[in-house]
Amino acid sequence: MSLQPARAPRDPHPNDRRPPWKAALADTVQDVAELCTLLALTPADSEHLERVCRGFPLRVPRGFVARMRTGDPHDPLLRQVLPDLAEAVVTPGYTNDPLGETAATAVPGVLHKYASRALVAVTGSCAVHCRYCFRRHFDYDAHRLGRDAWAAVLDYLARQPAVNEVILSGGDPLNATDAALSAKVRDLESLDHITRLRIHTRQPVVLPERVDTQLLDWVSTTRFNTVFVVHANHANELDGRVEGALRALQHAGATLLNQSVLLAGVNDDANALVALSERLFACGVLPYYLHLPDRVQGTAHFHVTDARARSLHRVMQARLPGYLVPRLAREVAGEPNKRQL
């Protein structure tokens, strides 16, 4: 059985005039059978897996699939995206809104949990559907940012002088076009009390084509101190193309941080976590948070105990310099900050 990486993604059609990232986004793998064929695997129960996907569809860029090992059902990248029958198990203590985001909604599109930061859900779509996603049940339709909704967002933020940082999230905010993003950033720049822009995105990791000239242009010209918080859980995600995308953002003036989720069967291993921190730093990114998984219904099979998490974190502290040790944390609904373990 081969454990070589899957083949590289196919090149776009020569007559395709879309930006390469849009072409790649339109050509993601969305079928379990196709994903398994690409990786020389046989799905355990395709009929039931299709039922799981109806609630939360499969979606993964081909470039990310190309970093997975063929013939290995336990590949740490595959495990993050391949639907699992365990998702259909209803687990006590797991809910559809574990972080209390419904209660934190200030106006449609804005979550205001913390005093100095407000989160704006730019879009409900992502390039990849991570099976542990804490917003897999989020009502994105209620947060659509049409013209009137966006005006209400700006009005709300204008009345919040304590807010000095806006977080663009979603979904993945980089699923929006650069024209839409730069227009929103210009509007936010008109609010003098906002000085920082934070962008939470997985796209530079799973779809590095997204970091193109147009994106870098508006990132490099905004008046905001700009922070990109990317999301990688395993060193194997960070190949040369990803490193190039991250370095380009850094050269455009952005600060780069990473947040990971501690996931059973993916990175609940000290060697994997140490390798991730080392590889992130080689790509110009500082580890920021290592999150305990949020207790969202359908994700209990990724659970790692607090005791195990603390043990792994202690090994990281012993083996890494302090600046490469992410904060081990959990978000608790209603608390004024993340709870560090």
Side-chain angles (χ1 to χ4, degrees):
M1 179 179 289
S2 170
L3 292 183
Q4 297 300 310
R7 63 184 182 183
R10 53 200 179 200
D11 293 329
H13 191 278
N15 295 327
D16 192 339
R17 297 184 178 181
R18 293 172 295 182
W21 73 268
K22 279 208 159 189
L25 191 61
D27 190 34
T28 54
V29 178
Q30 301 184 47
D31 179 77
V32 172
E34 181 186 7
L35 178 60
C36 290
T37 297
L38 289 171
L39 296 170
L41 297 170
T42 302
D45 191 331
S46 58
E47 180 181 346
H48 288 91
L49 285 177
E50 289 174 6
R51 190 176 305 127
V52 168
C53 287
R54 283 198 289 270
F56 187 49
L58 167 72
R59 190 181 201 192
V60 55
R62 295 179 186 275
F64 195 69
V65 176
R67 295 170 229 165
M68 300 174 188
R69 296 186 294 263
T70 57
D72 183 2
H74 305 294
D75 179 85
L77 278 60
L78 175 65
R79 183 162 166 78
Q80 296 179 56
V81 301
L82 183 66
D84 192 303
L85 297 178
E87 295 176 42
V89 176
V90 176
T91 306
Y94 285 70
T95 71
N96 288 355
D97 185 15
L99 304 184
E101 294 195 321
T102 300
T105 299
V107 296
V110 176
L111 303 179
H112 195 176
K113 300 180 186 180
Y114 307 131
S116 64
R117 289 93 72 201
L119 182 148
V120 177
V122 173
T123 175
S125 62
C126 288
V128 64
H129 289 176
C130 303
R131 306 316 299 181
Y132 52 89
C133 179
F134 69 94
R135 289 197 182 126
R136 60 185 291 162
H137 305 292
F138 191 75
D139 185 4
Y140 286 108
D141 287 338
H143 291 266
R144 290 184 182 273
L145 292 182
R147 180 178 300 176
D148 291 344
W150 179 242
V153 168
L154 292 173
D155 177 69
Y156 176 78
L157 293 173
R159 293 182 284 105
Q160 307 299 319
V163 171
N164 61 11
E165 177 173 289
V166 167
I167 301 167
L168 301 186
S169 185
D172 194 310
L174 294 192
N175 260 34
T177 66
D178 289 308
L181 286 171
S182 60
K184 284 181 169 56
V185 171
R186 286 195 301 272
D187 288 341
L188 292 170
E189 286 177 327
S190 69
L191 305 177
D192 291 341
H193 57 284
I194 298 175
T195 59
R196 285 194 304 274
L197 182 71
R198 197 193 320 174
I199 299 169
H200 282 199
T201 177
R202 188 133 160 80
Q203 282 215 12
V205 174
V206 301
L207 195 78
E209 301 96 317
R210 180 63 183 91
V211 182
D212 59 10
T213 302
Q214 289 72 32
L215 173 63
L216 296 171
D217 281 347
W218 69 259
V219 170
S220 63
T221 56
T222 179
R223 73 164 176 85
F224 291 130
N225 289 323
T226 304
V227 180
F228 275 76
V229 181
V230 298
H231 177 183
N233 296 314
H234 196 279
N236 291 0
E237 299 177 39
L238 305 172
D239 65 2
R241 296 182 71 191
V242 174
E243 180 177 356
L246 295 169
R247 286 294 184 184
L249 288 169
Q250 185 183 47
H251 292 155
T255 297
L256 301 184
L257 306 174
N258 181 72
Q259 57 182 0
S260 307
V261 183
L262 186 58
L263 302 165
V266 174
N267 59 6
D268 58 334
D269 172 85
N271 290 333
L273 292 170
V274 168
L276 173 60
S277 282
E278 295 281 11
R279 180 64 181 139
L280 284 166
F281 191 66
C283 294
V285 185
L286 278 177
Y288 176 38
Y289 275 122
L290 176 60
H291 289 282
L292 273 296
D294 299 308
R295 293 179 179 267
V296 62
Q297 195 62 252
T299 67
H301 54 296
F302 287 114
H303 177 73
V304 177
T305 67
D306 286 11
R308 174 68 175 156
R310 288 190 178 99
S311 175
L312 291 168
H313 198 247
R314 284 194 294 271
V315 175
M316 296 181 75
Q317 290 174 315
R319 292 175 56 181
L320 291 166
Y323 57 87
L324 292 188
V325 181
R327 301 168 185 171
L328 180 63
R330 161 183 289 120
E331 187 166 350
V332 179
E335 292 197 358
N337 52 263
K338 290 181 175 62
R339 182 186 297 175
Q340 296 191 40
L341 277 70

